[in-house]
């Protein structure tokens, strides 16, 4: 450590388009070729990212995978030790007892208890302890505490506790891996960061954290690692933008507003032709403007804020709503609703959606008179179908099979057919195997989807053949030649206050580092209050406030004293704080302590940058005129100063 810098831990700024994946792969290839006895660990945020990084790099000395797969493959070998199983019970004993006692008479707990007693004769702590031979990962959000299977989140937190309690695990990591890369570090939880950081601290192994805090849009990280970040080596910086044109790079730099993290455009991009200058349309009818632009530029990718808006635009809004309600696709599970609906390789894991897409292909082939493909589809999808019922052995079978297929297809294409009724028709016509039919209709998750129109599946399939709509909180990833960014608010997950961001941005020279620091200070203040009053600020009532008003006021005053000249405080909180001091009551104080009011603006700032960064050649931002009416002129000036060509309401006849 020199001058407080930890030299073997590198914080590598890698903004959008900086070629991070290529850089990591090159570094890994170079290192293993020069160090034939060393090993490299690459932790990625998703399995897809791991596959991309490891593509064409076949070496048993390099591990590519998510943190969960790494724990499962490497660290979990320690999870059969008695001392670690004892630690498991130390942490989860209270929860296990609550499930055993089931004071609230939850039906799922009661059923689980009955199954356990039936299998093992009795249900108590000693029996559970004697039956657990190892702690495992069950690849789901929730824990199966009776068998020692930890869910998605708890696996990480438990591993952190285990590694802190038994440092030999950290030593094993640093002994095994001489170089560690953590891709998309900004999306990693503090537990993940801590495990890797403390494993290499004061060791010879090197740790590279690669990412971009501007792309911190998933909410896994809560700000607990900020002090450590300040001590890391920042000598490596990926400053070249290989993705987009110089004009868009210039805009991205203006939005980021940090000279130390300024990007340079790739010299070969300087000659790239743009169809129009990066522009902003401030309009009264957003959807009308989207239609106008996408008619002019058929290949444009439209970025909406929420998944709901995305699927509604496709015509599959109710389908998305139904899948998003399913227990098995909730946040933190192995798969989420969006992946099931739009990714073919993942859709195969959902019985119903995989079958419905198969029927869509069958219907299309039948209408095109590609009968060979129809019967091939039936024969190869024996998991679902009864091929023996649809085999043509003699001439008279043709009429019978044709009638059945045409019945199925007519229902498939009928706009009044629901998914539930179509499944019934498929079963009635002996097309769908009875065991598959029962599995679908008896699955409680599928109750949400039975009344959804089947045509929404067809519309989704049609869209996926040429996708041109995405969501802003999923905007990281592939770029697109022409991007249309719909700047809008969202009060659902993620909370995004885009109009409030535009208002702040119009008057404050926003910088991510400064804004982040302010937000974490504000969050810390709220946390301090909650620790002192032993309740959430959102749950404050008149009695609680009366009891703790002095403590609350002292903490607030300390925060104000520190931030009174801070432009973020002045613009975002001062008015609320002044109102509270005029009239101190529970309503006023709760209004001052809404973390989402600041987080929503910070999220909007990040999403605005990330959305714009997706464009390779052409960028359009659409803003609802009504959302910015009070500061429209200031915003236009700000946008213009960043390099945007700002346009107001345009007619249908106008071109770019």
């Amino acid at each position: 450590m020199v001058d407080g810098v930890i030299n073997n831990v590198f914080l590598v700024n890698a903004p959008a388009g900086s070629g991070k994946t290529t850089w990591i792969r090159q570094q890994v290839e170079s290192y293993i070729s020069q160090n034939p006895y060393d090993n490299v660990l690459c932790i990625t945020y998703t399995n897809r990212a791991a596959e991309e990084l490891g593509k064409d790099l076949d070496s048993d000395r390099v591990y590519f995978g998510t943190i969960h797969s790494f724990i499962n493959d490497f660290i979990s070998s320690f999870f059969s030790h008695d001392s670690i199983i004892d630690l498991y019970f130390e942490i989860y004993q209270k929860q296990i007892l609550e499930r055993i006692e089931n004071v609230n008479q939850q039906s799922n707990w009661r059923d689980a208890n009955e199954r356990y007693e039936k299998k093992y004769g009795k249900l108590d702590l000693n029996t559970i302890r004697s039956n657990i031979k190892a702690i495992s990962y069950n690849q789901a959000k929730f824990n199966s505490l009776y068998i020692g299977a930890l869910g998605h989140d708890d696996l990480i937190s438990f591993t952190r506790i285990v590694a802190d309690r038994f440092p030999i695990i950290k030593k094993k990591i640093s002994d095994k891996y001489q170089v560690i890369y953590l891709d998309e570090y900004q999306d990693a939880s503090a537990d993940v960061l801590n495990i890797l950081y403390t494993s290499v601290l004061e060791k010879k192994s090197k740790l590279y954290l690669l990412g971009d805090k501007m792309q911190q849009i998933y909410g896994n990280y809560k700000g607990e690692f900020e002090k450590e970040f300040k001590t890391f080596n920042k000598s490596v910086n990926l400053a070249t933008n290989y993705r987009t044109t110089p004009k868009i790079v210039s805009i991205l730099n203006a939005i980021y507003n940090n000279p130390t993290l300024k990007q340079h455009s790739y010299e070969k991009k300087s000659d790239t032709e743009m169809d129009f200058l990066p522009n902003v349309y401030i309009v009264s009818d957003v959807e009308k403007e989207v239609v106008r632009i996408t008619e002019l530029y058929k290949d444009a990718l439209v970025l909406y804020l929420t998944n709901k808006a995305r699927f509604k635009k496709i015509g599959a809004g109710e389908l998305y709503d139904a899948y998003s309600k399913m227990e098995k696709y909730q946040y933190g599970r192995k798969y989420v609703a969006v992946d099931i609906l739009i990714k073919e390789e993942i859709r195969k894991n959902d019985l119903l959606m995989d079958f419905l897409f198969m029927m869509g292909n069958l219907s299309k082939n039948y209408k095109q008179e590609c009968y060979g493909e129809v019967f091939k589809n039936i024969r190869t999808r024996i998991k679902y179908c009864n091929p023996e019922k649809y085999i043509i052995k003699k001439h008279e079978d043709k009429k019978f099979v044709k009638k059945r297929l045409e019945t199925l297809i007519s229902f498939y294409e009928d706009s009044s057919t629901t998914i539930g009724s179509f499944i019934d028709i498929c079963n009635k016509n002996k097309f769908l195997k009875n065991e598959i039919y029962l599995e679908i209709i008896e699955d409680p998750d599928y109750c949400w989807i039975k009344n959804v129109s089947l045509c929404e599946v067809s519309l989704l399939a049609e869209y996926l053949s040429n996708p041109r709509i995405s969501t802003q909180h999923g905007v990281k990833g592939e770029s697109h030649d022409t991007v249309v960014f719909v700047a809008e608010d969202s009060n659902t997950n993620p909370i995004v206050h885009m109009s409030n961001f535009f208002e702040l941005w119009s008057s404050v020279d926003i910088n991510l580092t400064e804004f982040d620091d302010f937000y974490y200070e504000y969050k810390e203040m709220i946390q301090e209050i909650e620790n002192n009053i032993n309740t959430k600020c959102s749950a404050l009532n008149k009695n609680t406030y009366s009891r703790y008003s002095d403590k609350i006021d002292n903490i607030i005053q300390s925060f104000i004293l520190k931030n009174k000249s801070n432009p973020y405080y002045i613009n975002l909180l001062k008015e609320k704080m002044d109102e509270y001091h005029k009239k101190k009551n529970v309503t006023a104080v709760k209004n001052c302590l809404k973390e989402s009011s600041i987080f929503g603006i910070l999220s909007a700032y990040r999403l605005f940058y990330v959305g714009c960064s997706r464009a390779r050649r052409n960028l359009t931002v659409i803003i609802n005129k009504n959302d910015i009416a009070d500061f429209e002129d200031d915003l236009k000036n700000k946008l213009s100063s960043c390099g945007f060509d700002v346009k107001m309401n345009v007619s249908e006849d106008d071109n770019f």
Side-chain angles (χ1 to χ4, degrees), residues 205-218:
S205 294
K206 294 179 179 179
L207 170 63
Y208 290 84
L209 307 178
L210 294 102
D212 179 12
K213 293 199 77 175
M214 188 64 95
Q215 299 185 68
Q216 194 177 83
I217 60 180
Y218 293 121

Side-chain angles (χ1 to χ4, degrees), residues 353-449:
M353 197 51 52
D354 189 39
F355 173 72
L356 293 176
F357 266 75
M358 184 205 85
M359 290 302 301
N361 288 330
L362 187 148
S363 175
K364 183 172 71 174
N365 286 326
Y366 191 90
K367 286 193 300 179
Q368 294 173 350
E369 299 183 359
C370 299
Y371 302 125
E373 287 299 315
V374 170
F375 291 105
K376 180 182 176 181
N377 210 349
I378 294 172
R379 287 194 305 272
T380 57
R381 305 305 293 274
I382 197 167
K383 175 181 177 181
Y384 302 115
C385 307
N386 288 304
E388 68 276 6
K389 303 291 184 182
Y390 287 80
I391 292 176
I392 299 174
K393 294 181 178 179
K394 45 192 177 180
H395 183 75
E396 53 263 35
D397 292 337
K398 287 185 178 180
K399 187 176 180 180
F400 179 74
V401 171
K402 181 181 179 185
K403 185 179 178 180
R404 277 191 167 180
L405 285 174
E406 288 182 346
T407 298
L408 294 176
I409 291 166
S410 67
F411 274 98
Y412 187 89
E413 295 183 341
D414 188 337
S415 60
S416 66
T417 302
T418 64
I419 289 174
S421 65
F422 183 69
I423 294 299
D424 289 340
I425 292 292
C426 288
N427 182 61
K428 185 179 177 182
N429 282 272
K430 308 293 183 184
F431 185 81
L432 186 64
K433 285 182 176 178
N434 191 57
E435 59 266 31
I436 299 296
Y437 172 73
L438 292 174
E439 190 172 344
I440 291 172
I441 65 168
E442 292 176 1
D443 188 333
D445 267 344
Y446 287 135
C447 70
W448 302 108
I449 201 171

Side-chain angles (χ1 to χ4, degrees), residues 125-137:
L125 276 178
N126 288 332
T127 304
I128 292 172
R129 177 64 178 84
S130 65
N131 286 326
I132 293 178
K133 307 303 180 184
I135 309 305
S136 62
Y137 173 39

Side-chain angles (χ1 to χ4, degrees), residues 14-75:
S18 61
K20 173 166 57 66
T21 300
T22 301
W23 186 86
I24 295 174
R25 190 186 295 119
Q26 289 173 344
Q27 293 295 309
V28 172
E29 288 175 343
S30 175
Y31 187 86
I32 61 173
S33 67
Q34 296 175 29
N35 300 274
Y37 302 105
D38 287 0
N39 299 292
V40 178
L41 171 63
C42 291
I43 300 294
T44 61
Y45 188 67
T46 63
N47 287 313
R48 182 181 176 186
E51 291 168 5
E52 180 66 20
L53 271 172
K55 188 170 60 177
D56 303 324
L57 186 59
D58 186 19
S59 173
D60 58 5
R61 293 190 291 120
V62 185
Y63 183 98
F64 293 101
T66 65
I67 187 65
H68 291 87
S69 62
F70 174 66
I71 290 171
N72 201 46
D73 294 341
F74 182 77
I75 301 179

Side-chain angles (χ1 to χ4, degrees), residues 41 57 84 121 199 203 207 286 339 472 481 486 493 573 649:
L41 171 63
L57 186 59
I84 290 177
S199 293
K203 304 289 195 309
L207 170 63
V286 170
D339 292 337
Q472 291 176 0
D481 267 358
V486 182
N493 188 23
L573 286 176
N649 278 318

Side-chain angles (χ1 to χ4, degrees), residues 444-482:
D445 267 344
Y446 287 135
C447 70
W448 302 108
I449 201 171
K450 290 177 181 176
N451 294 321
V452 174
S453 174
L454 182 61
C455 69
E456 293 204 7
V457 178
S458 299
L459 289 168
L460 177 61
E462 183 182 347
Y463 157 75
L464 290 175
S465 65
N466 183 27
R468 292 190 293 114
I469 302 171
S470 189
T471 54
Q472 291 176 0
H473 66 277
V475 293
K476 295 194 294 185
E478 295 85 357
S479 56
H480 211 81
D481 267 358
T482 301

